[in-house]
Amino acid sequence: MRKTIRTIFESLLRLLLPAGGRHRSADAPPTPELPDTPTLTIPRVPAEQRLLRGEDVAFLRPYILTPEERQERQERRLQRGRRRALWLATYGVEAGPRWIHGVEVGC
């Protein structure tokens, strides 16, 4: 059975894939001559124009948050967790609290 499958695949591959290298037939069409294409030139920009100034950038250091922004971020994360728990509850998945009154709840 294995030999039969192998011969079937070999014959299909011979039909689908062209012969490679010098084993090609003599009546194969010649390769078309392509004209030389111009190379891509990238315009040069002076160094003064490439540098960014502090006034040009909206957030210079976005990883530094003010205490108000940090509180808002924490509230958004908690709200997202509550919404995810409600969404999972509609599918019967319990994603309740891990800690209740300081005691870890096991599954």
Side-chain angles (χ1 to χ4, degrees):
M1 184 69 183
R2 289 181 185 171
K3 189 174 182 180
T4 308
I5 294 173
R6 189 180 107 208
T7 55
I8 290 172
F9 277 116
E10 284 178 356
S11 61
L12 283 175
L13 288 176
R14 281 193 195 113
L15 288 174
L16 295 175
L17 299 177
R22 60 183 171 186
H23 298 288
R24 289 189 179 153
S25 63
D27 58 343
T31 352
E33 293 292 327
L34 298 176
D36 290 337
T37 56
T39 57
L40 179 65
T41 57
I42 300 172
R44 291 204 168 259
V45 178
E48 299 84 34
Q49 293 179 0
R50 280 186 274 166
L51 297 176
L52 292 177
R53 298 178 307 169
E55 300 86 33
D56 299 336
V57 181
F59 296 107
L60 194 55
R61 296 183 295 181
Y63 51 87
I64 297 179
L65 300 175
T66 63
E68 295 84 19
E69 292 173 334
R70 190 170 289 138
Q71 179 67 24
E72 290 173 8
R73 187 175 180 185
Q74 177 70 18
E75 289 172 5
R76 282 194 309 262
R77 188 174 353 129
L78 291 173
Q79 179 67 32
R80 199 169 42 240
R82 289 190 297 265
R83 286 181 180 162
R84 185 179 301 121
L86 284 173
W87 182 80
L88 288 171
T90 60
Y91 291 100
V93 178
E94 184 179 342
R98 303 274 186 240
W99 293 82
I100 295 178
H101 301 295
V103 179
E104 186 175 5
V105 178
C107 293

